[in-house]
Amino acid sequence: AYVRALRVLTAAAPPFFFQLPGEAPPTTRSMSAWVSSTLAAVGIAAPSGFAYLGHSLRSGASSAAEAIKVPRARGDWLGGWAPGSATRDKHYIDPTVEPTPAAY
């Protein structure tokens, strides 16, 4: 539904998938604020000593993709990493994440 509406309402797709026409590009700060306010609205807080940030979205998605065996090149592309980037391996994939139906 989002993609259909975007095609109808805009002449050209914005640079970022969930960026609305005329909206500023998402930044780490804005994504962290969005994650924080969204989780607070549903009563979820990070455990003591932890923080859920905008990068939590990339890490969770990347870890889930890895757990369900999404091809590495596709996971790099979906997350915006350069092909073969070591950054994803070093900082975003949690090897303890198990495959779940939600990851599909």
Side-chain angles (χ1 to χ4, degrees):
Y2 173 79
V3 172
R4 283 192 304 273
L6 191 62
R7 286 182 184 144
V8 169
L9 297 172
T10 63
F16 295 93
F17 187 68
F18 286 111
Q19 182 182 0
L20 298 174
E23 190 175 55
T27 63
T28 298
R29 180 177 294 160
S30 65
M31 291 301 294
S32 293
W34 176 81
V35 168
S36 178
S37 66
T38 301
L39 293 176
V42 294
I44 297 173
S48 180
F50 290 88
Y52 295 133
L53 303 171
H55 283 285
S56 301
L57 299 173
R58 290 182 89 195
S59 181
S62 189
S63 296
E66 191 73 10
I68 63 169
K69 309 290 188 225
V70 170
R72 182 54 62 99
R74 171 128 339 134
D76 289 347
W77 179 79
L78 289 168
W81 287 282
S85 171
T87 301
R88 183 173 175 226
D89 286 332
K90 288 181 184 177
H91 304 290
Y92 289 91
I93 296 175
D94 179 348
T96 66
V97 171
E98 296 286 334
T100 65
Y104 291 92

